[in-house]
């Protein structure tokens, strides 16, 4: 991990200028949005034209469009009447083109803000009139494309968006789709948002218009690079989303409203990278646009924070609120009523407070009054979140394959040996090191062969090398084959018992595709051996969590196998909690971000997209944008709020090391006035190094990922050493852990059970996953 240098590791007591939110720019005249989500592509009767395109339905595109609409309305000030949803069968080719013209172009006026969001399949079509080298136009696929209707080409959309921009609007385009039809590798790779190109070429000449992102006031966010696939995932409630939209909406619901789009995108990218998604999102636009907030009208009114309105039906102290999952609200969250000037009761104990008791979807929740007079609440009253339940986010989900009859275990092991010897394919024992193209898996009733497109073929109730070879006989491309040996019923039962006894329960995935970690099996020295592997890592990506356990555990003793495998899950679950922890929405935010690292000896800056080298010494670089500092300056009249910050690192085995903030020393620094270069702070300021990069698994991996965490709080942690944690289990709380916030952090860092308490909203967290490797 990281060998700490002998330095003074003291915490700065930061005087950060925070308080009432002040928007960085003018409000948009009118905000409008068109949101398209298409899950249904295949025809009900199975008769689709263009069968070579591989028609598949999606699961999360409609959810994405609905979630984005709820966020725009509940958090970013869009009027619901000015947002248009176009879903499934309504999102035909003509429906999409007509909606852009009717809802966006014809109503646009100078100064308006317009958002276009698309979630669904992307593709390509050959255009014989194109002047591009490959003559391929990129497309979005409408819901009636299976009937032979043409896709909507990028050049068609480019012309429509040009008309919109000519009217003087600010335009944000968001695409959760992709255009790559390349082969997908991995174990149960899941659904991707791309169809094969339309086999019927077109001849569509047209003017060579510049891409929208080259014009002033345009920002384009895309889910993946041109050669990559946009994947679907499931959130903590098992609801499907695009991986990009999942990360984007999670960032949008907690980030400061005035955060520049570039910094917002860095958070989205870091979240996707931390979870091992194989796609790399893209942001495009002029620097002047990327330096501004994602939505021009962000922020409504004087108050900062997340506000929700009370609806009209208030009965017996129960209040319906216009805000739900899209805002990250969960049961236990507390809100206070916002009063007009001079209307608040003189006694602050009489101010109305409510606590959320249930969440009813993306934009609705129910609360109960816990302080003040319920009769003073009226429909339209606003409430502000001020005590937040620190959510651990998506729980870690593991998948145990169905057990195999012990009577056939020996014969199955011999088949594995035959498959390993076959020269017609490349055999892999670790799918996280060499991503497979095909996988042989046990379903509980039969053996199946999984193909690159996610489809499966039965290869019989009894495994045989001949049946596998027959199923692979028609494959023309090189085959990389992975097979997983199932556990016996005794091992499965023991492991389930051990997992249930952990300090914090671990969720069981309902299917292989829904799992984060999967129990894999192999044959080692003639015996069955088992290990966990991170399913997304089988797609050839580098993740911030361990791709697999260091060594497979041989099944010489059932109880030992269960104990070792359960302990590994316990350790990883703690680092998983830190990767999932969300900041409160619109917390009075620390204006500085963890921007990267500086190599101590050479002074070379290492950005989050670059690589740390093992054995090199580094300092940490914090940066604040000029807009963030100006915003802080405008808050002088609101007073000063002290902010402590802590920097720690989590290695790929779930161990945490506190790098900065041990002493809670009371150093007050006014970054606006007292620092020569307030936009860039290097720690430690003494010029010494803060840490030395070092491999966790020496000699075993060529590259690793450590996650660096910047945690800021308005009150010092009484026991900062809770941010040091190892693989040793801990039960109960330490004596030094005092505040509800510290208890919430402790429950994540040490894997303890219990309900997470509501905590004040004046804290924030930022994560930066960094790849480290051998020096050149």
């Amino acid at each position: 991990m990281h060998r700490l240098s002998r330095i003074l590791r003291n915490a700065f007591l930061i005087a950060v200028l925070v308080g009432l939110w002040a928007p960085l720019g003018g409000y948009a005249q009118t905000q409008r949005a068109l949101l398209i989500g298409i899950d249904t592509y295949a025809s009900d009767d199975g008769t689709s034209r263009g069968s070579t395109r591989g028609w598949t339905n999606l699961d999360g595109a409609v959810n994405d469009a609905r979630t984005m609409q709820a966020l725009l309305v509940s958090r970013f000030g869009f009027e619901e009447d000015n947002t248009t949803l176009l879903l499934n069968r309504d999102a035909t080719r003509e429906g999409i083109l007509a909606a852009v013209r009717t809802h966006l172009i014809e109503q646009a006026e100078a100064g308006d803000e317009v958002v276009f969001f698309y979630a669904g399949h992307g593709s390509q079509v050959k255009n014989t009139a194109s002047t591009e080298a490959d003559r391929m136009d990129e497309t979005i696929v409408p819901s009636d494309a299976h009937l032979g209707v043409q896709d909507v080409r990028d050049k068609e959309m480019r012309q429509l968006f040009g008309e919109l921009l000519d009217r003087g609007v600010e335009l944000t385009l968001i695409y959760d789709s992709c255009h790559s039809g390349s082969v997908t590798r991995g174990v149960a790779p899941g659904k991707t948002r791309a169809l094969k190109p339309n086999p019927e070429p077109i001849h569509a000449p047209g003017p060579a218009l510049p891409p929208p992102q080259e014009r002033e006031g345009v920002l384009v966010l895309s889910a993946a690079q041109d050669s990559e696939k946009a994947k679907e995932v499931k959130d903590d409630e098992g609801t499907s989303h695009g991986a990009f939209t999942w990360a984007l909406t999670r960032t949008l619901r907690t980030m400061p409203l005035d955060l520049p789009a570039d910094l917002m995108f860095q958070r989205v990218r870091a979240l996707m990278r931390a979870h091992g998604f194989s796609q790399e999102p893209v942001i495009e636009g002029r620097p002047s646009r990327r330096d501004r907030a994602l939505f021009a009208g962000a922020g409504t009114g004087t108050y900062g924070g997340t506000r929700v309105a009370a609806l009209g039906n208030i009965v017996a102290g129960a209040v319906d609120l216009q805000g739900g999952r899209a805002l990250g609200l969960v049961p236990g969250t507390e809100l206070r009523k916002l009063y007009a000037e001079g209307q608040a009761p003189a006694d602050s104990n009489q101010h109305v407070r409510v606590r959320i008791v249930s969440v009813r979807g993306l934009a609705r929740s129910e609360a109960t009054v816990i302080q003040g007079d319920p009769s003073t609440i009226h429909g339209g009253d606003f409430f502000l979140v001020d005590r937040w339940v620190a959510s651990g986010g998506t729980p870690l989900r593991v998948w145990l394959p169905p057990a195999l009859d012990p009577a056939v275990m020996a014969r199955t092991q011999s088949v594995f040996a035959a498959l390993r010897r076959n020269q017609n394919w490349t055999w892999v024992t670790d799918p996280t090191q060499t991503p497979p193209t095909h996988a042989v898996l046990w379903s509980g009733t039969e053996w199946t062969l999984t193909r690159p497109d996610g489809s499966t073929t039965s290869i019989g109730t009894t495994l045989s090398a001949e049946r596998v070879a027959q199923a692979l006989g028609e494959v023309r491309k090189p085959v990389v084959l992975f097979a997983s040996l199932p556990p016996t019923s005794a091992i499965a039962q023991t492991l389930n018992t051990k997992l249930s006894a952990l300090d914090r329960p671990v969720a069981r995935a309902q299917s292989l595709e829904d799992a984060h970690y999967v129990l894999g099996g192999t044959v080692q020295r003639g015996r069955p051996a088992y290990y966990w592997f991170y399913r997304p890592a089988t797609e050839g990506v580098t993740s911030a969590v361990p791709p697999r356990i260091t060594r497979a555990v041989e099944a010489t003793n059932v109880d030992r196998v269960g104990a070792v495998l359960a302990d590994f899950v316990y350790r990883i679950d703690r680092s998983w909690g830190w990767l999932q922890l969300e900041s409160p929405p619109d917390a009075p935010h620390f204006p500085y971000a963890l921007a990267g690292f500086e190599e101590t000896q050479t002074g070379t800056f290492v950005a989050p997209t670059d690589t740390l080298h093992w054995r090199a010494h580094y300092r940490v670089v914090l940066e604040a944008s000029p807009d963030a500092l100006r915003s802080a300056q405008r808050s002088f009249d609101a007073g000063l709020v002290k902010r402590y910050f802590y920097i720690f690192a989590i290695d790929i085995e779930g161990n945490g090391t506190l790098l900065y903030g041990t002493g809670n020393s009371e150093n007050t620094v006014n970054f606006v006035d007292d620092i020569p270069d307030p936009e860039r702070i290097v720690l430690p300021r003494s010029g010494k190094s803060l840490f030395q990069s070092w491999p966790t698994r020496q000699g075993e991996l060529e590259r690793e990922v450590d996650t660096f965490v910047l945690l800021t709080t308005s009150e010092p942690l009484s026991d900062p050493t809770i941010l040091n944690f190892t693989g040793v289990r801990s039960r109960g709380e330490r004596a030094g852990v005092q505040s509800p916030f510290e208890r919430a952090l402790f429950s994540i860092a040490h894997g303890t059970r219990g309900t997470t308490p509501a905590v004040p909203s004046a804290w924030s967290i930022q994560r930066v996953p960094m790849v480290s490797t051998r020096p050149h």
Side-chain angles (χ1 to χ4, degrees), residues 362-433:
L362 295 172
R364 293 290 186 275
S365 57
E366 180 184 345
T368 185
V369 176
I370 59 174
Q371 177 180 290
D373 184 359
S375 66
T376 63
I377 302 175
H378 306 285
D381 286 350
F382 280 100
F383 287 79
L384 179 74
V385 173
D386 71 347
R387 292 188 70 82
W388 182 252
V389 174
S391 171
T394 304
L396 183 68
R397 296 190 297 268
V398 299
W399 168 251
L400 276 66
L404 186 67
D405 186 348
V408 299
M409 181 62 77
R411 185 180 185 281
T412 304
Q413 289 178 232
S414 67
V415 176
F416 270 50
L419 293 174
R420 182 195 295 262
R421 292 191 300 267
N422 196 304
Q423 299 299 309
N424 292 324
W425 49 71
T426 301
W427 172 266
V428 297
T429 56
D430 184 353
T432 68
Q433 292 295 306

Side-chain angles (χ1 to χ4, degrees), residues 429-433 482 517-518 520 522 524 530-534 537 543 545-553 568 572 652-653 697 701:
T429 56
D430 184 353
T432 68
Q433 292 295 306
F482 166 73
Y517 277 90
V518 175
T522 187
Q524 187 169 285
Y530 299 95
Y531 58 94
W532 295 106
F533 65 86
Y534 187 49
S543 64
V545 296
R548 60 161 287 175
I549 196 169
T550 306
R551 298 178 182 87
V553 184
F568 176 74
I572 298 310
I652 65 166
E653 292 199 340
R697 300 178 178 176
L701 299 176

